[in-house]
């Protein structure tokens, strides 16, 4: 099956610092990757859609200057949370859309805690 | 009205029973329908997808789609305690692009 990895799986940082989260499709090419955020006991919230080689499309209310997304290759997308604050503490999950296959595969998620 | 609606639950069934999870959607142009399972603290995992009206069976799971009624369901036969999780319904218009997720239904299977 298709495997999507995320790194790191968890991170604790100080307020004001930036954190980069990597999302990789390990055994397939992903033309599109999605970034979600999920607060405890709440539903998935789509933050942005990332297409390889082009700018990400952000959902309404998501600050593109705060959540920087780079999709540099068909197997790697990164999300950088800039100047993180405690309210950014959440579970960040990426998913990849496998080209030619109509299925979306999720990474294991990254738990971010901002002190 | 949300684009994808699910009963939040919790839905509780005894072990061995059939669990029935329901989902309605508002976009008549939706073509692809997915069910994901999410354990607490984990990311979602795909259980089943269905594109055509009718039933699709995979092991203990059966997805049912009725496009006229804009309704998709998931049946879990012989429910096990390990099936206890939140089940997410997702719909998509085309073969690419973003899916719209429901808020999920929490299922508890009691031994």
């Amino acid at each position: 099956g298709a495997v999507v990895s995320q790194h790191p799986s968890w991170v604790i940082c100080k307020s004001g610092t930036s954190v980069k989260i990597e999302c990789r499709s390990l055994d397939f090419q992903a033309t599109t990757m999605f970034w979600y955020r999920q607060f405890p006991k709440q539903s998935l919230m789509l933050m942005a859609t990332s297409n390889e080689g082009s700018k990400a499309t952000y959902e309404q209310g998501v600050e593109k200057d705060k959540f920087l997304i780079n999709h540099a290759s068909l197997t790697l997308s990164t999300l950088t949370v800039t100047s993180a604050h405690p309210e950014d503490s959440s579970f960040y999950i990426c998913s990849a859309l496998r080209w030619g296959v109509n299925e979306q595969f999720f990474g294991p998620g990254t738990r971010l805690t901002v002190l | 009205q949300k684009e994808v609606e699910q009963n939040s639950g919790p839905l509780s069934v005894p072990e061995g029973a059939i669990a029935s999870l329901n989902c309605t959607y508002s976009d008549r142009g939706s073509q692809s329908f997915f069910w994901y399972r999410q354990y607490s603290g984990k990311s979602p995992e795909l259980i089943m997808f269905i594109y055509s009206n009718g039933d699709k069976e995979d092991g203990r799971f059966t997805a049912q789609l009725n496009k006229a009624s804009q309704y998709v369901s998931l049946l879990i036969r012989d429910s096990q305690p390990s099936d206890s999780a939140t089940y997410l319904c997702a719909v998509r218009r085309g073969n690419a692009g973003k899916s719209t997720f429901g808020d999920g239904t929490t299922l508890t299977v009691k031994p």
Side-chain angles (χ1 to χ4, degrees):
Chain A
V3 178
V4 177
S5 71
Q6 274 185 249
H7 178 80
S9 56
W10 59 271
V11 57
I12 301 173
C13 70
K14 292 182 179 180
S15 185
T17 60
S18 294
V19 175
K20 179 186 282 188
I21 302 170
E22 290 186 351
C23 177
R24 293 181 185 272
S25 55
L26 297 184
D27 53 358
F28 67 97
Q29 293 184 330
T31 51
T32 303
M33 289 185 172
F34 305 93
W35 287 96
Y36 295 85
R37 181 168 56 182
Q38 188 175 38
F39 293 106
K41 299 192 183 300
Q42 294 190 22
S43 58
L44 281 176
M45 189 196 83
L46 179 65
M47 299 175 68
T49 301
S50 166
N51 290 297
E52 185 265 338
S54 62
K55 290 184 178 180
T57 301
Y58 290 81
E59 295 298 302
Q60 192 172 9
V62 178
E63 300 174 59
K64 62 180 181 181
D65 293 331
K66 179 171 181 62
F67 299 99
L68 301 178
I69 292 173
N70 184 286
H71 194 159
S73 75
L74 288 172
T75 59
L76 173 65
S77 176
T78 60
L79 167 68
T80 301
V81 182
T82 62
S83 186
H85 289 94
E87 56 265 31
D88 298 322
S89 299
S90 188
F91 192 41
Y92 291 86
I93 311 171
C94 74
S95 73
L97 195 61
R98 184 173 181 175
W99 188 85
V101 177
N102 191 17
E103 295 173 36
Q104 189 175 336
F105 299 94
F106 282 86
T110 297
R111 195 162 300 282
L112 170 64
T113 301
V114 184
L115 302 177
Chain B
Q1 182 187 7
K2 291 184 178 179
E3 293 182 54
V4 179
E5 296 258 18
Q6 294 182 254
N7 289 326
S8 60
L11 173 66
S12 182
V13 300
E15 183 174 357
I18 296 175
S20 178
L21 304 163
N22 304 317
C23 173
T24 57
Y25 60 94
S26 60
D27 183 0
R28 284 196 171 274
S30 299
Q31 298 179 7
S32 307
F33 305 86
F34 306 85
W35 282 101
Y36 291 85
R37 177 175 62 197
Q38 185 176 24
Y39 291 112
S40 181
K42 303 293 185 182
S43 66
E45 57 179 319
L46 181 67
I47 299 175
M48 290 192 69
F49 56 87
I50 186 168
Y51 307 140
S52 305
N53 278 328
D55 295 359
K56 180 182 178 182
E57 187 175 317
D58 183 1
R60 296 187 295 113
F61 299 97
T62 299
Q64 298 174 319
L65 175 61
N66 184 324
K67 289 185 179 181
S69 300
Q70 295 174 245
Y71 174 93
V72 58
S73 66
L74 179 70
L75 300 178
I76 306 175
R77 291 181 299 281
D78 188 24
S79 295
Q80 301 297 309
S82 58
D83 295 326
S84 298
T86 296
Y87 289 80
L88 303 171
C89 170
V91 303
R92 186 190 308 157
R93 261 191 163 252
N95 291 328
K98 62 182 181 181
S99 297
T100 302
F101 283 80
D103 290 344
T105 298
T106 300
L107 170 68
T108 300
V109 180
K110 295 186 175 180

